[in-house]
Amino acid sequence: MIIKQIYTGCLAQGAYYIESNGEVAIIDPLREVQDYIDIATKNNAKIKYVFETHFHADFVSGHVTLAEKTGGKIIYGPTAKPNFDALIAEDNQVFKLGELSITVLHTPGHTMESSCFLLKDKNGKDHALFSGDTLFLGDVGRPDLAQKGNITEKDLAGFLYDSLRNKVMTLADDVIVYPAHGAGSACGKNLSKETVGTIGNQKETNYALRADMTKEEFIKEVTDGLLPPPAYFPLNVKLNKEGYKNIDDVIEQSAKPLSVKEFELIANETEAIVLDVRHQTEFVKGFIPQSIFIGIDGGFAPWVGALIKDINQPILLVTPIGKEEDTITRLSRVGFDNVLGYLEGSFNSWKKSDKEIDTLNSVSVDVLENKIKENALVFDVRKPGEFASEHIVVAESTPLDFLNDHISEFPKKEDFYVHCAGGYRSVIAASILKARGYHNVIDVAGGYAAIRNTNIERTAAVCPSTLK
């Protein structure tokens, strides 16, 4: 038995490779599938099945491409209705994989087709549960993404309660749990940083699996505090349900080096967004006017999806040299396939051509401390939970996720300061604000981590788990 968790930090997503006697199953693959094929080839094994726990919203899965390249059969749980060839399994249907078996457990709640896959060893003993977005470590899947017709989020939460109690919590405590996501995913509220657990541990520590919890309590707690899902989620569901371009074709189409002249011409003649993915410390020193910063070294793809929103939006890239194809690949993971090309030679080529450049005013926390004494305006772009846990007393909460909803709150003429936890999100916010004409925005370098080392007045720290 071989089990490999292939975890992608940018998406906080776990895909799985399972092998027995030369037969392979892949669960929830990423869009770029060559790694799975390479592992199977190296092991002289054949990919037999491609299991999908549900129609993913936060990334484009590689199921269609992987099936086309390997002949592996795509398998969904009951009620799934994809637009391509797939086997729609029955509840408790068993699939043989070498000496192992995989049983489909239909667990509606996160979505109606959501299913977990129970792996049994050669002796028929329950070994591991690939729990998709039904059960995370420390949390469960949000029940608001698949509302349709008369089915509400409370209905879905009720279905999820039943699924967990009847299908998951009945498993032995030593069964390993392999979830689809960890901390950082928008598919749950309080996901653990751990990526592997056990049923027993989750029964002890996961608030949603309390033995004495009623369905009404579960519905209330699971739906409490849910932030609106990112705008790109429904668009990714559509791609996962209907199909998508082969990523090799996307890279070939998008990885076009553009001279400064070509880049500027396309920028002026199209509605393309200039997306600069260099490190924030480089961006603040100089960038192409009107460009938006979302750094490749942070939670890149989810932030692109949350802030650009339309997966069909034309994009021109400014990347670190050598990161062009990686950037295009990571954009494609969340369905953004309309890259028109990248600036050859990165920002240096623009700078050397004597084109107009812009800079972002960024100051230290010591400067902020003095400015607050002069009644400076401060905006905190961290998530609402971070802000509620602890914040600068005079700061306003304007979460980056919903920056568009707060635009009118920023002053047009008076200088104002934005900060996040460490400096990544605040530069994103400042770049967007500056592109919209707020040239009076000032970034606070180092964010709240640095602010804690000052005498700036802050609220008392509160544990997030106590905030209800």
Side-chain angles (χ1 to χ4, degrees), residues 17-79:
Y17 176 104
I18 309 166
E19 181 186 324
S20 175
N21 279 8
E23 295 184 339
V24 175
I26 307 293
I27 298 177
D28 293 339
L30 280 185
R31 190 171 179 181
E32 63 272 26
V33 301
Q34 194 57 46
D35 283 351
Y36 315 116
I37 297 171
D38 289 346
I39 297 170
T41 300
K42 182 180 178 182
N43 293 353
N44 196 28
K46 179 176 174 56
I47 294 175
K48 184 178 182 181
Y49 302 121
V50 182
F51 287 96
E52 287 286 294
T53 55
H54 62 295
F55 293 121
H56 303 281
D58 59 311
F59 72 100
V60 180
S61 183
H63 52 305
V64 174
T65 304
L66 192 54
E68 289 174 351
K69 289 192 171 188
T70 67
K73 191 67 178 175
I74 300 172
I75 298 170
Y76 280 94
T79 76

Side-chain angles (χ1 to χ4, degrees), residues 273-274 283 287-293 358-360 403 407 412 427-441:
I273 286 176
V274 177
F283 181 85
F287 53 89
I288 298 171
Q290 300 295 309
S291 59
I292 301 300
F293 164 80
D358 203 348
T359 58
L360 186 61
L403 193 68
I407 292 294
K412 286 282 190 180
V427 176
I428 296 175
S431 73
I432 293 171
L433 288 165
K434 192 150 199 190
R436 295 192 177 184
Y438 289 84
H439 299 289
N440 48 324
V441 61

Side-chain angles (χ1 to χ4, degrees), residues 3 7 30 57 123 152 173 273 323 328 432 434 438:
I3 300 175
Y7 199 80
L30 280 185
N123 299 314
T152 67
D173 286 352
I273 286 176
K323 287 287 187 177
I328 292 164
I432 293 171
K434 192 150 199 190
Y438 289 84

Side-chain angles (χ1 to χ4, degrees), residues 207-226:
Y207 78 96
L209 301 192
R210 294 199 310 270
D212 61 348
M213 193 180 222
T214 67
K215 182 182 283 192
E216 289 71 24
E217 289 171 335
F218 178 91
I219 292 171
K220 183 177 185 302
E221 292 194 36
V222 169
T223 57
D224 182 49
L226 282 174

Side-chain angles (χ1 to χ4, degrees), residues 5 7 37 54 111 187 217-218 242 267 276 302 333 373 411:
Q5 181 186 64
Y7 199 80
I37 297 171
H54 62 295
T111 67
C187 293
E217 289 171 335
F218 178 91
E242 297 180 1
D276 193 322
R333 288 176 183 167
K373 294 174 183 176

